[in-house]
Amino acid sequence: MRGKIQCVTTDKGIHSFYMILDDAKYYLFSQAFKRGVHELYRNGIDYNDAIDHAKSHHDKAINKTMEKIPMYVEYVEKEYGIRFLEKTKKKASQHCRNSA
């Protein structure tokens, strides 16, 4: 399952972030508009690239956004019962093995 992170300008001065898995779109969070953040995430970016600090070019706003994304993705996984992150998949498989 390949995931993308995308930001959409929702109000003046605000952009909202979404995780896109297959055809489903999950809301993550909203934050104040920052041009560099918008440029990186507006067309959707692969999850691994979305949290790769090497892609931030030392932009503090992008770095802060990259730190927020994994926390919100974990919340979405719990809320909707999906398994996207590798650590979540591993935890679920270990739980299944221990139950058997």
Side-chain angles (χ1 to χ4, degrees):
M1 188 181 317
R2 300 289 296 177
K4 285 188 159 196
I5 304 297
Q6 180 184 29
C7 79
V8 177
T9 304
T10 51
D11 289 322
K12 185 169 177 66
I14 303 288
H15 40 211
S16 297
F17 283 77
Y18 296 90
M19 178 173 64
I20 302 167
L21 296 175
D22 301 326
D23 291 333
K25 192 173 188 178
Y26 301 95
Y27 171 79
L28 296 175
F29 59 91
S30 294
Q31 68 180 24
F33 185 91
K34 298 290 184 189
R35 184 176 305 210
V37 173
H38 180 73
E39 291 297 319
L40 182 62
Y41 294 103
R42 69 178 174 187
N43 295 323
I45 185 170
D46 183 71
Y47 176 79
N48 292 324
D49 292 335
I51 60 170
D52 182 2
H53 288 274
K55 305 240 185 266
S56 73
H57 305 291
H58 304 291
D59 184 318
K60 288 182 182 180
I62 294 174
N63 279 328
K64 287 184 117 182
T65 302
M66 288 179 171
E67 291 169 6
K68 289 167 71 171
I69 290 171
M71 292 184 301
Y72 286 95
V73 169
E74 287 178 30
Y75 174 77
V76 166
E77 284 183 320
K78 289 178 187 173
E79 187 70 21
Y80 295 99
I82 58 175
R83 293 183 185 132
F84 170 68
L85 297 175
E86 288 302 317
K87 70 180 187 178
T88 309
K89 291 177 185 176
K90 286 179 185 177
K91 188 184 284 186
S93 68
Q94 287 176 351
H95 179 70
C96 290
R97 276 188 258 140
N98 291 339
S99 297

